[in-house]
Amino acid sequence: MSSLLTVDRLTRRFNVSGGEGLRAAQSFVAADVVSFSIERGETLGLVGESGSGKTTIGRCILRLIEPTSGKVEFDGVDMVSLNGAALRSMRRNVQMIFQDPFASLNPRLKVGRIVAEPMQIHGLLADRRSRRARVRALLDEVGLPAGAEDRYPHEFSGGQRQRIGIARALAAEPKLIIADEPVSALDVSVQAQVLNLLSELRARHGLTMLLISHDLELVRYLCDRIVVLYAGRVMESGPADEVTSRPAHPYTRALISAIPSRNPLKQRERIILRGELPNPVNPPSGCIFRTRCPHAVPACAIAKPELRSFGPGRLVACSNDAALPVLAGAGAV
């Protein structure tokens, strides 16, 4: 397989105006030299707590916000260098499913027009009758009732609105879909239905997906590989089954320990992280996780740990060997 998307040392810095507690205008890094790739037909999970930079990275890929530095290559083309018509053309191939189905749909437009809009923007199916037939087919594919195209978003439940968002993303026939917390705003009873739909669509259309989530259980269910973020930096990456069954980084182990066990007789030992997330305007030196890490040593405050190999296809950003399981094939990358 070849990489469809390559994110190379992506960094996004935000400016913060002076205010209470701030002497003057300052800045913080939301995504700090983040690198990963997605193979064709693969689903990659980008996981971490709120504030870890997941959504920022997804929006930088789409150029909804501009990266401060780094590269985003899609199908061999540098997305960061594109502008105007070239950028619009490339965006046809990268579509997003947004987190909030209540805010991401225009309440003034009927569902049929919402789903047809990507086709109009990108010049697909110029004939109105063909577009309408395509809209009906998409709405049927995502499980919406007949006649849904002639109704407004407010007439649907949250789960149904998210299905509309999925149909809209599919309308442009993209090569890559970025799903940003696609079920976090939905009732628990509806979440499984939407997840099953995404899984079926991925298999049916051979979709490549970037799934952004704070929920490791969800990511393990849908994804082939996982990238774990903490405060804008990659802590660990690797195959989903490997990372969730044998987590390497202390932060990943803490996340895994919080997942309820499927076997009530074999509960996991819960790892409680002490302290608060680091101040993004004034982050700690060295390893960004060291202020909450139960294995931190003085050396952790000196330099940012680089990602290094932890067995086949796995990387971990931890320079303290004592904090890791038995390390295989260690080496900087």
Side-chain angles (χ1 to χ4, degrees):
M1 290 191 296
S2 60
S3 295
L4 179 65
L5 178 76
T6 301
V7 175
D8 183 22
R9 301 185 68 81
L10 178 71
T11 298
R12 171 63 193 191
R13 183 180 293 274
F14 288 97
N15 293 323
V16 182
S17 60
E20 185 178 352
L22 297 177
R23 294 187 300 275
Q26 299 183 44
S27 66
F28 71 92
V29 178
D32 193 1
V33 292
V34 172
S35 298
F36 60 85
S37 62
I38 307 178
E39 308 300 317
R40 297 174 192 275
E42 181 182 47
T43 297
L44 178 77
L46 203 56
V47 66
E49 296 173 274
S50 295
S52 63
K54 309 181 299 295
T55 295
T56 295
I57 292 167
R59 290 175 179 266
C60 281
I61 292 170
L62 270 170
R63 296 273 305 280
L64 297 177
I65 56 177
E66 295 295 329
T68 302
S69 63
K71 287 186 176 181
V72 178
E73 287 193 357
F74 177 79
D75 214 4
V77 177
D78 181 10
M79 290 277 285
V80 178
S81 67
L82 298 179
N83 289 294
L87 178 59
R88 285 194 299 273
S89 177
M90 186 60 69
R91 276 180 173 158
R92 174 199 163 180
N93 294 308
V94 187
Q95 293 291 307
M96 195 163 193
I97 300 169
F98 293 92
Q99 177 178 0
D100 187 353
F102 295 90
S104 62
L105 303 177
N106 189 333
R108 296 172 180 264
L109 300 182
K110 289 184 177 180
V111 167
R113 187 172 171 189
I114 290 172
V115 176
E117 194 170 40
M119 295 184 241
Q120 293 175 299
I121 291 172
H122 298 292
L124 306 175
L125 299 176
D127 177 71
R128 179 178 293 184
R129 182 176 297 177
S130 299
R131 278 203 308 269
R132 189 168 177 84
R134 171 69 172 155
V135 166
R136 286 173 177 164
L138 285 169
L139 294 176
D140 179 66
E141 187 172 21
V142 299
L144 287 169
E149 68 271 19
D150 295 319
R151 296 160 63 187
Y152 289 93
H154 74 266
E155 299 178 64
F156 295 90
S157 67
Q160 288 176 319
R161 290 190 201 192
Q162 195 61 297
R163 290 171 186 266
I164 295 168
I166 293 169
R168 178 177 61 184
L170 291 173
E173 301 177 354
K175 296 180 181 179
L176 172 68
I177 286 182
I178 300 175
D180 184 8
E181 299 273 14
V183 298
S184 64
L186 306 179
D187 292 340
V188 174
S189 60
V190 179
Q191 289 181 0
Q193 300 172 22
V194 175
L195 290 177
N196 287 334
L197 173 63
L198 288 174
S199 181
E200 292 167 7
L201 293 172
R202 180 185 65 165
R204 189 180 306 147
H205 296 283
L207 293 174
T208 304
M209 292 181 61
L210 173 62
L211 178 65
I212 297 170
S213 180
H214 67 278
D215 187 338
L216 260 172
E217 187 73 5
L218 181 157
V219 168
R220 177 168 60 183
Y221 171 70
L222 274 180
C223 297
D224 302 299
R225 287 191 301 123
I226 294 175
V227 173
V228 180
L229 291 171
Y230 178 82
R233 289 187 64 86
V234 176
M235 297 288 102
E236 180 173 355
S237 67
D241 289 341
E242 284 284 313
V243 171
T244 54
S245 64
R246 195 168 67 101
H249 197 280
Y251 175 61
T252 311
R253 295 205 297 271
L255 289 180
I256 296 294
S257 77
I259 300 175
S261 175
R262 297 172 183 173
N263 185 347
L265 300 179
K266 295 182 67 175
Q267 294 295 322
R268 298 183 180 92
E269 180 182 353
R270 183 70 189 272
I271 300 172
I272 305 297
L273 296 179
R274 306 299 177 185
E276 301 293 331
L277 284 166
N279 181 349
V281 175
N282 185 27
S285 62
C287 177
I288 193 74
F289 182 62
R290 68 176 177 82
T291 56
R292 301 176 74 194
C293 181
H295 306 282
V297 296
C300 297
I302 297 174
K304 291 180 180 180
E306 296 292 327
L307 285 166
R308 55 174 173 158
S309 175
F310 187 79
R314 296 190 63 181
L315 298 172
V316 62
C318 182
S319 55
N320 180 11
D321 287 352
L324 302 173
V326 177
L327 191 64
V333 297

